[in-house]
Amino acid sequence: MSTAGTTTDLPRQQPVTSADERVGLNGAVAAALTRVVGSMPALYITLVVFAGWITLATLGPLRGADPYPFPFLLFMDNVVQLVLCLVILVGQRVLGMAADRRAVQTYENAEAIFERVTDLQAHLDRHDRALGRGVSLLESSPHPWIQRHRVQPAPQAVDQTTGVNGRIAAWLTQRLGSMWAFYVAAVTQLVWIGMAELGVQKFDPYPFAFMSFLSTLAQLVFMIVIMVGQDVLNKAADRRSEQTLLDAEAILHECRRMKARLVAQDRVIDSLADYTSTQVTRQLARAVHQSRLEAAVAEGQQQGSRPALRPWDELPEELKEANRLQARKLGELLAEIGCLMVPTYDPSLIVDFDQEEARLLARREYELRLSERKARGVTKLPSQRDTLGDGLVPWELLSDRARERAVDMVRRLPAMLADVGFQVLRTGAGADGVGELDFTPEDWGTLGTSLMAAGVLVALAEGVADPEELSALVKLLREASVSHPRRFIRELAGSSTFETGLRPDTTYVGYRGAALKTIREATAAVARTAPEELTGFRAFLMEIATTVADANNEGGFFGLGARPRVPNEAAAMEAVRTATLLDRQLNG
């Protein structure tokens, strides 16, 4: 019933910044001007320069050159103000373009979220119909904004410039808010001053009164254009704010809908779970008893010699209930070692308990039976013939033979569960070692990359990574994520994105250096953070390399004489092994 992969994920983008719009030489100059002029130090320098100039022109050596009303200072003031107006226009245009891009990014993200929400709602509807026999458990309608959003584009600043006046304002803002306008203004003033000083034009000599007049007029125009631009930006920002608010309301509405549907489904699921739990408990209790009966008979005990060794239908009710209790608690016991019990869906995923896990499960299962017998008032364990006494003894006082018998029973659990349609899977949790949270995100990313690097390096040893080799690599990682005995390897394999990083022109020589460096860094990270996992990590990398090398036959002539592993692959495997040796790294 899953539809994973049918919807579009959120675009993988970096947040839009104003710096993204400042590209090329003009953009770099604009950024530098804005950064320098638009700062408090620039303000302090301006105030100091003007105050100093006025003081020197009034009381000091500049009195003869630029006396009150300070014509030269007034001229420079006009020039600087004109420059500042142009810089403000450039900055305003940059902000407008960045805001437009943010609006588009927000629109695309919201559209992807709505698409995902729609898919989830459809998924819940299928669950509704499956649980409610074709009838939706909770009728509700999607938020109307979701449909409107798809036909209403992202708000842009240009949308606010309507009519003749709006088009004129947009044209002025676009032309004046550019570095080229800044260059034209700067060059015009320099040329005008140069021509006056050289005597080419005598119409406007120093202190350039006509130029100051034109500069003041231009500033007036520019300030009005700036205010128009601010109004446009404000209107566009208002529309973006409105759209963002509607996006949030629609998302919250859909979340409430999903929550309500899940609550409705919970009631049906609880009812089904109670019924299923009862049926499953009966099957598991029979299987537990049958397994224990077969083990006792295999040891030479005679079936029916005591009540616990009778067939299920002949068991006393209290012994049946004891087996049911163990069946109900079986899932909790498995969870303590990071496993869970599920209906069989892939028989190839076989879990074998290691010695530590088996002993822990055996002890917990024994203590559970012990507490159950004490609760029933039983004072002896006739089945434990080799205990240190006839009473109910704790695990620590059991004989070695009794403990080993309990461990052997636990090791048969996966096979016993398979007989009744269940299998054991590892979840990645439990107390059997370190996991992702014990490493830094950078180290964990390196560890994940090293798994793919070990396999891909061997796959490239013969020139091209064959699909069979990559398929074998992915299959191994998937199996390890649920069946490997170590939590560290399970979580590491489970977090793999299966990204090979291969391009059509990737060669073994070109890939080798980076791959071996990643493996060395990953090995060092394990040695630094979890040295107890180092041996297992090395072994798993070599298991990956071996699996890929043996994935298909290579070499030979038209298939004759082909071998699972050729010299180039063996050399790549040795390179992987060498990269995991810390002493080589330290000495190298």
Side-chain angles (χ1 to χ4, degrees), residues 332-400:
E332 297 178 16
L333 296 178
L334 289 171
E336 292 188 21
I337 62 169
C339 294
L340 61 106
M341 180 179 65
V342 298
T344 301
Y345 75 95
D346 188 352
S348 66
L349 299 177
I350 301 174
V351 171
D352 292 322
F353 304 131
D354 61 26
Q355 186 65 17
E356 180 182 351
E357 292 172 330
R359 288 185 67 83
L360 175 61
L361 280 179
R363 176 171 182 164
R364 293 290 292 113
E365 190 272 340
Y366 176 80
E367 291 173 346
L368 177 64
R369 286 192 290 126
L370 204 62
S371 62
E372 182 271 330
R373 283 184 170 85
K374 287 181 178 180
R376 290 194 288 117
V378 177
T379 59
K380 293 184 179 181
L381 285 175
S383 63
Q384 300 293 350
R385 298 177 178 177
D386 55 350
T387 62
L388 296 180
D390 292 332
L392 298 173
V393 298
W395 174 266
E396 292 81 4
L397 299 182
L398 281 179
S399 67
D400 291 341

Side-chain angles (χ1 to χ4, degrees), residues 451 454 476-478 480-481 484 489-490 492-493 534-547:
L451 302 185
L476 174 61
L477 292 179
R478 284 177 174 166
S481 67
H484 198 278
I489 299 298
R490 289 197 302 274
L492 188 57
L534 185 57
T535 300
F537 178 68
R538 287 170 170 164
F540 189 59
L541 286 179
M542 290 309 301
E543 182 181 356
I544 290 174
T546 302
T547 299

Side-chain angles (χ1 to χ4, degrees), residues 287-348:
V288 168
H289 172 70
Q290 185 64 30
S291 177
R292 188 170 291 126
L293 179 61
E294 292 174 356
V297 172
E299 290 182 352
Q301 300 184 47
Q302 185 176 358
Q303 181 174 331
S305 59
R306 50 192 174 85
L309 297 184
R310 296 174 185 173
W312 176 265
D313 293 335
E314 300 176 14
L315 275 182
E317 184 58 33
E318 63 269 16
L319 293 182
K320 288 184 178 180
E321 184 58 31
N323 283 300
R324 294 189 192 105
L325 175 63
Q326 185 181 359
R328 284 193 292 269
K329 295 291 185 180
L330 187 55
E332 297 178 16
L333 296 178
L334 289 171
E336 292 188 21
I337 62 169
C339 294
L340 61 106
M341 180 179 65
V342 298
T344 301
Y345 75 95
D346 188 352
S348 66

Side-chain angles (χ1 to χ4, degrees), residues 49-330:
V49 169
F50 269 67
W53 186 278
I54 292 173
T55 301
L56 293 175
T58 303
L59 305 173
L62 295 180
R63 185 172 182 177
D66 192 29
Y68 180 82
F70 317 113
F72 183 75
L73 184 61
L74 183 61
F75 163 71
M76 292 301 299
D77 180 40
N78 273 288
V79 171
V80 172
Q81 288 184 50
L82 180 62
V83 170
L84 289 177
C85 286
L86 289 168
V87 170
I88 292 173
L89 280 166
V90 171
Q92 190 178 74
R93 185 183 179 194
V94 169
L95 291 176
M97 291 188 295
D100 285 346
R101 285 193 58 208
R102 290 190 191 102
V104 171
Q105 189 179 67
T106 301
Y107 176 86
E108 292 174 348
N109 290 345
E111 190 64 27
I113 292 172
F114 291 151
E115 187 176 356
R116 177 65 68 180
V117 164
T118 301
D119 178 68
L120 289 174
Q121 293 288 13
H123 200 140
L124 287 175
D125 191 59
R126 287 192 292 274
H127 286 182
D128 274 2
R129 299 185 184 283
L131 294 172
R133 297 183 179 182
V135 178
S136 183
L137 299 177
L138 187 69
E139 293 294 342
S140 60
S141 302
H143 196 282
W145 174 246
I146 293 180
Q147 294 299 327
R148 287 177 53 199
H149 185 272
R150 294 173 180 171
V151 298
Q152 184 167 327
Q156 302 285 288
V158 69
D159 299 334
Q160 311 307 315
T161 55
T162 57
V164 176
N165 290 335
R167 287 192 290 272
I168 293 174
W171 186 88
L172 285 173
T173 303
Q174 184 177 12
R175 297 300 184 275
L176 297 178
S178 66
M179 285 305 300
W180 290 112
F182 175 84
Y183 298 147
V184 169
V187 170
T188 298
Q189 293 188 76
L190 290 175
V191 170
W192 187 271
I193 294 171
M195 292 175 63
E197 291 298 319
L198 295 175
V200 176
Q201 66 90 2
K202 299 180 181 181
F203 171 73
D204 187 29
Y206 176 82
F208 316 112
F210 184 70
M211 178 182 284
S212 297
F213 163 73
L214 289 179
S215 176
T216 302
L217 180 60
Q219 292 171 44
L220 178 63
V221 173
F222 290 166
M223 293 302 295
I224 294 174
V225 171
I226 290 172
M227 295 178 68
V228 171
Q230 285 181 338
D231 183 60
V232 169
L233 291 178
N234 286 336
K235 289 180 180 178
D238 288 345
R239 283 201 56 209
R240 294 182 188 114
S241 179
E242 178 186 4
Q243 191 172 71
T244 301
L245 177 63
L246 290 171
D247 289 344
E249 287 182 349
I251 293 170
L252 290 175
H253 174 82
E254 293 302 307
C255 288
R256 285 192 290 267
R257 284 184 66 211
M258 286 188 283
K259 176 64 177 178
R261 300 184 76 167
L262 289 171
V263 170
Q265 290 179 6
D266 283 346
R267 293 192 291 269
V268 180
I269 291 173
D270 287 342
S271 176
L272 293 174
D274 289 341
Y275 173 79
T276 304
S277 176
T278 301
Q279 299 300 316
V280 170
T281 297
R282 290 176 181 174
Q283 293 185 39
L284 289 179
R286 283 176 173 269
V288 168
H289 172 70
Q290 185 64 30
S291 177
R292 188 170 291 126
L293 179 61
E294 292 174 356
V297 172
E299 290 182 352
Q301 300 184 47
Q302 185 176 358
Q303 181 174 331
S305 59
R306 50 192 174 85
L309 297 184
R310 296 174 185 173
W312 176 265
D313 293 335
E314 300 176 14
L315 275 182
E317 184 58 33
E318 63 269 16
L319 293 182
K320 288 184 178 180
E321 184 58 31
N323 283 300
R324 294 189 192 105
L325 175 63
Q326 185 181 359
R328 284 193 292 269
K329 295 291 185 180
L330 187 55

Side-chain angles (χ1 to χ4, degrees), residues 9 12 436 441 444-453 456 470 473-475 477-478 481 489-502 511 540 544:
D9 289 330
R12 292 187 177 181
E436 179 177 358
W444 191 255
T446 301
L447 289 170
T449 304
S450 70
L451 302 185
M452 297 300 294
V456 173
L470 297 181
L473 170 60
V474 172
K475 182 175 183 294
L477 292 179
R478 284 177 174 166
S481 67
I489 299 298
R490 289 197 302 274
E491 289 194 10
L492 188 57
S495 64
S496 176
T497 59
F498 308 122
E499 291 289 339
T500 64
L502 291 176
Y511 188 83
F540 189 59
I544 290 174

